Amino acid sequence: MSCGISDVALDLVMGYIDDPRDREAVSLVCKKWYHIDAITRKHITIAICYSTSPDRLRRRFPRLESLKLKGKPRAAMFNLIPEDWGGYAAPWVREIAEAFNCLKALHFRRMIVTDADIALLVKERGHMLQTLKLDKCSGFSTDGLLLLARSCRCLKTLFLEESLIIENDGAWLHELAVNNSVLETLNFYMTELRISSQDLELLARNCRSLISLKISECDVSDLVGFFRLATALEEFGGGSFNDQAGETNRYEMVRFPPRLCCLGLIYMGTNEMQIMFPFAASLKKLDLQYTFLSTEDHCQLIQRCPNLEILEVRNVIGDRGLEVVAQTCKKLQRLRIERGDDEQGLEDEQGRVSQVGLSTLAQGCPELEYLAVYVSDITNAALESVGNYSKNLCDFRLVLLDREERITDLPLDNGVRALLRGCTKLRRFALYLRPGGLSDVGLGFIGECSRNIRWMLFGNVGESDVGLLRFARGCPSLQKLELRSCCFTERALALAATQLPSLRYLWVQGYKASPTGRDLMAMARPFWNIEFIPSRQQIVYDDLDDRPGAIESQAQILAYYSLAGKRTDCPESVVPLYPE
Amino acid sequence: MERKNSFRGIQGAISKINPELLRSVITSGTAARGGPEARSPPGAATAFRHATTPLPVLTSACRSGSKGTAPLTIFYNGTVAVFDLPQDKAESILKLAEKGNVGGVLEAADPTASGHEEDLLTKLNGELLPIARKKSLERFFAKRKERYAWLCSPLLPTSFLVLLIRFGSSPLLTNKYLRPSIVLFICRPCFSMRHVGDDSLLSRRRSQTLTMSQPYKMAEREANVALVKETGTITAA
């Protein structure tokens, strides 16, 4: 008896329910609903691959069509996690090969995938694989890509962004161009793969549905032919600019496809910028993080882009550039302002973002959903502005750079509270400050005012354990917490971990260790894996210095819920901890 | 005070012996018996216990090596080292720690290393972590440095001087539509300079560095380079 709803009807209705939390609620109603959910669930994301086992996944969701797995902690993107930490795709690929015969889309993020894994995947599932994403992965080579290219003729999306790929040759791209005619998205952005522009042209000829291409470095002047052929292209990223002496018109012949609306060009400089002007008004997404543009250049370019929805820049954009954004980009939804180089060269003195730019931006762009910014200065008022105007904000990340000695207005307690109270849709929140940036009272505010926030990252916040414990009394939805360079003791961390009601993942680097290391065990409980990465010293050879330097990496704690028991594949650098 | 000195000695000694010496002290018997060597994480220098309190017994289970060894995890002030040791060796380490007397082998260590070790410990415990940098951006900055460091190489062929002279009389310079101020330029066969915006253009470590603050400021360089740039286009030397 299912509340008077027939099974057939239930089946159909459930097909419309996609949100994983809704599905979770549905599966808890009764066994029948659990079963129907299990066989109709299309997609699963496993936030940390060690939280469950391939076997458990298969037993519950045998008809899965799409799977996303994440391995290494997020800190790996910042070189903080040992390369051999783990996150091996092998056990998952084996299970997929054996049992998941409906699987069409697979996404591995920050995992170790070998050529053998790819070979097995291709052999068993290659004929139906439509989407494969090896996202910031490592462990495989172009031989694996060659296998994929030859056998996966249904592949619509191949995504390899930022993966570390061993390069043997460029044949894989040629094979892809020859064997595939349905490819829509190809991404090997931020990889070091070397490819030939002829293969790209062949791809453009054979894959008439190609709408997104993001490549590694390849001179843009060699892509003239490709751009002419890829008439359906909407997104392009990568390429590079290398003007040669005597060739003043090297990029004059470049004409972008008519539907292009998402663009990111590497090493583009002031002089090349104008190739974007003819279609700047139709740009929806712009990535300037890897360009050589000045503050003034940013102003010149962005004022021509009133339809921009996604913008990624470095802090060279400056407050002045943000003013232009606020005036021009009324439809802006996502803005990322990354950190520029610290090197003591001559910085564009306008290349800093402060409370001025932030306030202007908040007032000018009410559609903002994602805002990540590295600031050189900040005030409470600026954060209040964000709270007042950015009502659609779901993801807010602020990092206060450490160059300036004096910050206008610290601590940021009141500003943070105002922001959290104003931005009710906030789900993700990061605050990386300096000592004195946020007091214990401020931490308490965060705990009180973060009803829906599921992920938080803190750096240098709070003054003592009191702050952390106040924080841990709130945050009802907090599932994932990352702490860096804070002053909390092991004892407080362990206590907080047990108090936060929804916490299922904790990562800490930089804390007050206890003399015995036992205080951490206060959070030991069933299904809670605790791993310790001891501090390391890595010898690094700087190309420019002749002497080797040492990078000291402080100890880290990683703890997460797991139904799969303790990890059995820890490398030497990772120490699993158990209570006695 | 005495104890503190002995700790400095211990710390300094440990810094010297770890990993190789410490390994040999611990496994001098083990090697002969063909047992597994002690594993100490590279660079995790000191892991030594205060003499008056017992060594921690918090160990990582389920990682025993072969032939009756077990891991010994030592925490000290936030640093940790893990060793796979047979029972007797573990006990001798514990005894050593309790005694606070490190014996002949360790005294031979270099006293100058102790300063560095203490700094390391202080750093690891007290100091702030630098804000971590994203891998993708790091790579971009490194590549950019490479591109322009190459441009700054002091090895400029003298033929550039000829080009310079030719260029100096170029109509571009006398063009009234040309902006009055001039910009930095390097005479190199393959690249012409462009404005690179915010962050550093070149590494200071190179012997001859070009400086460029505002787009239209002239700078002169030792190797007889002069720059002219017409607004909006790049001109070759």
Side-chain angles (χ1 to χ4, degrees):
Chain A
M1 173 62 182
S2 269
C3 314
I5 310 173
S6 74
D7 287 1
V8 173
L10 204 54
D11 229 329
L12 288 168
V13 168
M14 281 223 206
Y16 288 97
I17 303 174
D18 290 320
D19 187 281
R21 280 163 306 142
D22 289 341
R23 281 285 188 144
E24 191 195 336
V26 155
S27 71
L28 292 172
V29 168
C30 63
K31 278 196 181 141
K32 175 169 278 192
W33 285 37
Y34 176 95
H35 177 68
I36 295 182
D37 164 60
I39 57 173
T40 57
R41 191 90 71 109
K42 296 269 181 351
H43 172 81
I44 290 282
T45 298
I46 298 177
I48 173 165
C49 59
Y50 293 111
S51 62
T52 185
S53 68
D55 184 56
R56 286 186 83 100
L57 183 69
R58 178 190 50 79
R59 275 187 277 130
R60 184 164 174 191
F61 300 109
R63 302 220 199 132
L64 208 56
E65 293 181 16
S66 166
L67 176 63
K68 176 174 176 180
L69 277 160
K70 298 199 230 177
K72 293 183 175 125
R74 212 183 57 94
M77 301 197 302
F78 299 84
N79 265 320
L80 297 172
I81 304 291
E83 175 56 34
D84 62 350
W85 176 88
Y88 299 99
W92 298 93
V93 171
R94 274 197 296 273
E95 195 70 43
I96 290 168
E98 261 180 50
F100 287 96
N101 46 22
C102 300
L103 200 73
K104 297 190 287 210
L106 188 54
H107 184 169
F108 289 126
R109 184 165 162 95
R110 295 191 294 266
M111 294 185 71
I112 297 175
V113 184
T114 62
D115 283 344
D117 297 332
I118 297 176
L120 182 57
L121 187 67
V122 162
K123 178 160 167 258
E124 300 297 330
R125 300 284 159 235
H127 59 285
M128 45 188 289
L129 206 58
Q130 289 182 17
T131 300
L132 181 64
K133 295 185 183 176
L134 303 176
D135 175 6
K136 298 179 178 55
C137 293
S138 59
F140 61 101
S141 77
T142 46
D143 294 348
L145 296 180
L146 192 60
L147 273 175
L148 273 168
R150 284 209 179 116
S151 320
C152 300
R153 292 169 191 245
C154 303
L155 207 60
K156 290 193 185 161
T157 297
L158 179 59
F159 182 104
L160 307 167
E161 188 165 316
E162 240 187 295
S163 286
L164 263 173
I165 308 171
I166 302 159
E167 182 163 32
N168 297 328
D169 54 53
W172 66 276
L173 183 60
H174 184 82
E175 287 298 308
L176 190 64
V178 163
N179 291 306
N180 190 309
S181 59
V182 295
L183 199 67
E184 292 171 9
T185 301
L186 176 61
N187 181 325
F188 49 99
Y189 196 47
M190 299 288 117
T191 64
E192 304 294 328
L193 295 173
R194 277 164 305 179
I195 44 105
S196 98
S197 52
Q198 280 96 351
D199 288 335
L200 282 178
E201 286 173 29
L202 188 58
L203 190 73
R205 271 195 222 106
N206 291 344
C207 301
R208 304 309 298 156
S209 331
L210 192 70
I211 49 174
S212 170
L213 179 74
K214 292 177 88 166
I215 61 173
S216 50
E217 292 173 30
C218 169
D219 200 295
V220 168
S221 61
D222 293 337
L223 297 173
V224 171
F226 167 77
F227 286 138
R228 209 175 341 106
L229 291 162
T231 48
L233 203 71
E234 293 170 17
E235 173 169 39
F236 179 76
S240 76
F241 290 88
N242 305 283
D243 35 355
Q244 312 251 336
E247 284 188 25
T248 61
N249 306 321
R250 191 178 168 91
Y251 301 105
E252 234 178 36
M253 295 309 295
V254 175
R255 295 279 180 279
F256 290 103
R259 298 212 202 128
L260 199 73
C261 57
C262 306
L263 195 54
L265 296 168
I266 305 182
Y267 306 141
M268 183 175 68
T270 314
N271 299 308
E272 293 102 23
M273 191 170 74
Q274 61 213 14
I275 62 176
M276 294 170 90
F277 288 176
F279 59 97
S282 44
L283 279 177
K284 288 197 192 151
K285 181 172 170 191
L286 188 56
D287 181 359
L288 302 174
Q289 292 174 104
Y290 309 106
T291 60
F292 293 154
L293 301 179
S294 66
T295 307
E296 175 60 30
D297 293 336
H298 279 77
C299 296
Q300 289 290 322
L301 181 55
I302 294 171
Q303 75 185 21
R304 291 173 154 85
C305 307
N307 290 307
L308 221 48
E309 291 171 12
I310 302 174
L311 179 61
E312 293 167 300
V313 292
R314 298 193 312 276
N315 60 1
V316 63
I317 192 177
D319 285 336
R320 206 153 69 80
L322 284 184
E323 213 177 286
V324 174
V325 172
Q327 281 164 5
T328 316
C329 310
K330 295 298 181 188
K331 301 184 189 170
L332 199 65
Q333 291 169 13
R334 295 176 67 94
L335 176 59
R336 179 163 189 92
I337 305 174
E338 269 288 355
R339 174 191 190 185
D341 203 347
D342 277 346
E343 180 77 18
Q344 289 290 331
L346 280 124
E347 288 180 349
D348 190 328
E349 62 202 34
Q350 300 174 85
R352 30 193 315 283
V353 172
S354 73
Q355 62 272 15
V356 173
L358 198 58
S359 302
T360 320
L361 179 73
Q363 289 175 46
C365 302
E367 306 294 320
L368 264 179
E369 293 171 10
Y370 172 103
L371 178 58
V373 55
Y374 281 79
V375 293
S376 306
D377 196 3
I378 190 70
T379 57
N380 282 285
L383 295 178
E384 275 167 36
S385 271
V386 176
N388 280 336
Y389 295 102
S390 308
K391 293 299 186 189
N392 289 309
L393 215 53
C394 299
D395 193 330
F396 180 76
R397 309 180 194 201
L398 182 92
V399 179
L400 180 59
L401 290 171
D402 49 13
R403 298 288 295 280
E404 300 294 325
E405 269 209 38
R406 216 192 129 262
I407 300 298
T408 303
D409 185 17
L410 290 182
L412 295 171
D413 299 357
N414 294 329
V416 168
R417 181 172 53 171
L419 190 151
L420 292 174
R421 278 187 176 157
C423 302
T424 52
K425 296 188 188 171
L426 217 54
R427 294 269 184 281
R428 301 167 77 87
F429 181 65
L431 203 59
Y432 204 111
L433 305 174
R434 56 174 68 179
L438 193 80
S439 72
D440 285 343
V441 170
L443 260 183
F445 287 161
I446 298 182
E448 284 163 19
C449 304
S450 55
R451 214 166 19 130
N452 299 315
I453 301 182
R454 289 191 230 142
W455 169 80
M456 288 197 203
L457 159 69
F458 291 133
N460 291 316
V461 299
E463 303 160 298
S464 71
D465 287 349
V466 170
L468 182 63
L469 295 172
R470 269 197 208 147
F471 166 81
R473 282 205 290 266
C475 300
S477 310
L478 190 64
Q479 293 177 330
K480 185 169 171 184
L481 179 61
E482 299 177 22
L483 292 171
R484 195 158 183 270
S485 189
C486 296
C487 54
F488 311 127
T489 60
E490 262 178 43
R491 194 191 126 269
L493 288 169
L495 259 174
T498 50
Q499 276 178 8
L500 286 160
S502 304
L503 195 72
R504 59 185 198 191
Y505 181 106
L506 174 68
W507 179 82
V508 184
Q509 184 181 43
Y511 60 95
K512 286 213 174 76
S514 63
T516 58
R518 299 176 80 126
D519 286 0
L520 205 52
M521 303 315 286
M523 66 171 168
R525 56 211 148 144
F527 304 113
W528 185 247
N529 284 5
I530 307 173
E531 292 170 15
F532 187 85
I533 303 177
S535 53
R536 304 166 281 150
Q537 197 170 39
Q538 290 164 263
I539 308 296
V540 158
Y541 289 88
D542 191 334
D543 283 331
L544 296 171
D545 278 337
D546 287 327
R547 305 161 289 110
I551 297 182
E552 287 125 22
S553 190
Q554 268 209 38
Q556 296 172 33
I557 302 165
L558 177 66
Y560 53 92
Y561 272 124
S562 174
L563 297 172
K566 309 297 176 196
R567 273 181 70 177
T568 51
D569 60 359
C570 288
E572 272 187 33
S573 48
V574 177
V575 179
L577 299 179
Y578 314 102
E580 290 140 48
Chain B
M1 199 55 207
E2 221 177 67
R3 191 180 298 141
K4 202 174 177 184
N5 285 338
S6 79
F7 283 154
R8 285 186 188 221
I10 292 169
Q11 284 174 5
I14 294 284
S15 78
K16 188 67 178 176
I17 66 174
N18 194 13
E20 295 309 324
L21 269 171
L22 183 56
R23 198 177 293 201
S24 66
V25 167
I26 292 169
T27 62
S28 52
T30 314
R33 283 203 315 251
E37 280 195 32
R39 284 176 297 122
S40 57
T46 61
F48 219 97
R49 203 61 198 101
H50 192 287
T52 56
T53 50
L55 277 170
V57 293
L58 180 64
T59 61
S60 49
C62 302
R63 292 211 320 149
S64 50
S66 52
K67 301 245 181 269
T69 62
L72 175 69
T73 308
I74 304 176
F75 288 79
Y76 177 71
N77 234 354
T79 62
V80 74
V82 180
F83 306 97
D84 256 343
L85 300 176
Q87 176 90 4
D88 52 350
K89 289 299 168 193
E91 274 167 13
S92 39
I93 294 285
L94 296 179
K95 280 195 198 108
L96 267 175
E98 277 166 347
K99 263 191 279 178
N101 173 7
V102 296
V105 174
L106 304 178
E107 271 166 12
D110 183 3
T112 61
S114 64
H116 169 74
E117 253 342 289
E118 268 193 23
D119 290 338
L120 175 59
L121 275 183
T122 319
K123 238 194 231 183
L124 291 178
N125 281 311
E127 278 189 22
L128 297 177
L129 293 168
I131 301 175
R133 306 182 123 279
K134 216 170 185 192
K135 259 196 241 180
S136 51
L137 281 165
E138 287 275 275
R139 265 200 312 267
F140 167 70
F141 295 137
K143 281 188 187 168
R144 182 171 66 171
K145 252 189 233 177
E146 261 172 58
R147 281 161 81 103
Y148 290 102
W150 182 70
L151 287 170
C152 275
S153 164
L155 307 168
L156 277 187
T158 50
S159 58
F160 283 129
L161 217 58
V162 174
L163 280 171
L164 197 59
I165 294 164
R166 223 169 37 113
F167 188 53
S169 58
S170 155
L172 283 168
L173 272 178
T174 54
N175 187 326
K176 61 176 175 178
Y177 296 111
L178 187 69
R179 265 177 125 132
S181 45
I182 45 186
V183 294
L184 201 68
F185 187 126
I186 301 173
C187 293
R188 266 307 268 212
C190 295
F191 279 95
S192 56
M193 182 62 79
R194 77 195 111 203
H195 179 54
V196 294
D198 62 340
D199 335 324
S200 101
L201 177 55
L202 304 152
S203 160
R204 268 211 188 125
R205 294 183 185 101
R206 291 287 159 172
S207 54
Q208 290 163 316
T209 51
L210 284 162
T211 58
M212 189 164 90
S213 52
Q214 300 302 319
Y216 300 107
K217 204 193 252 184
M218 172 149 126
E220 223 175 53
R221 204 182 146 214
E222 228 179 279
N224 302 317
V225 173
L227 269 195
V228 174
K229 174 174 176 288
E230 187 179 9
T231 313
T233 60
I234 296 176
T235 55

